[in-house]
Amino acid sequence: MDREWNDNQPIYRQLRDRVVAMILDGVLKEGDPLPSVRNVAAEYRVNPLTVLKGYQELVDEQLVESRRGRGMFVNTGARDLLMRDERRKFLAEEWPRVALTIQRLGLRAEELLKEGASANGRPSPEAAPNPAKKEPEK
């Protein structure tokens, strides 16, 4: 987790968002324990109650469960639930702005796919071999 906090959101919310990102990225898997409240509080120099409040939001969202005396654990299906919610949120809140920018700039799907693939370190779609397309014989 990043050690820097921003002033735009409460710290407990930023902690919650960081755990969500760890679940989405596969760092925390179903059944994995969350770092202990004490460890997170000490490592990030925040009040343990702040960490607990962030973790409680995850419990309220049914992403993690508290096991008495053992800690907090990622629930089964938490990643799928998050993926569904994050996709819906992206399409509702961010995609309209992105689509408007794409339209304003006159970008085509092919350009976006090519640039996106190269930005991710993958070959662009036209650079990938196409089994249906035969190379001209020499």
Side-chain angles (χ1 to χ4, degrees):
M1 280 196 270
D2 187 15
R3 292 177 189 267
E4 296 295 318
W5 306 111
N6 68 53
D7 295 333
N8 301 335
Q9 269 187 324
I11 292 174
Y12 77 89
R13 185 70 184 174
Q14 293 177 58
L15 278 167
R16 177 247 175 234
D17 291 346
R18 290 176 185 185
V19 173
V20 164
M22 292 171 69
I23 294 170
L24 286 171
D25 293 342
V27 174
L28 288 173
K29 298 181 181 2
E30 296 176 353
D32 282 356
L34 270 57
S36 78
V37 170
R38 287 183 184 161
N39 286 346
V40 173
E43 186 173 342
Y44 296 98
R45 296 178 183 236
V46 297
N47 189 312
L49 292 176
T50 301
V51 178
L52 195 56
K53 187 170 183 178
Y55 279 10
Q56 187 58 49
E57 283 208 348
L58 297 166
V59 171
D60 294 344
E61 295 173 44
Q62 299 179 344
L63 299 173
V64 302
E65 66 178 342
S66 177
R67 297 182 190 162
R68 190 174 194 150
R70 298 187 59 213
M72 304 269 192
F73 294 82
V74 178
N75 276 337
T76 302
R79 186 172 189 280
D80 293 336
L81 181 65
L82 279 170
M83 287 293 281
R84 186 176 66 236
D85 290 347
E86 291 296 314
R87 285 176 177 161
R88 186 172 2 107
K89 183 178 171 185
F90 173 79
L91 290 172
E93 297 174 12
E94 296 180 42
W95 180 248
R97 286 191 307 268
V98 172
L100 186 61
T101 302
I102 290 170
Q103 183 181 16
R104 187 179 301 126
L105 296 175
L107 294 169
R108 296 186 330 268
E110 298 82 26
E111 292 175 284
L112 294 169
L113 291 172
K114 179 180 178 184
E115 290 300 318
S118 65
N120 290 329
R122 294 183 298 217
S124 63
E126 65 265 1
N130 183 346
K133 187 177 178 182
K134 291 190 177 193
E135 294 293 321
E137 294 190 27
K138 296 181 181 179

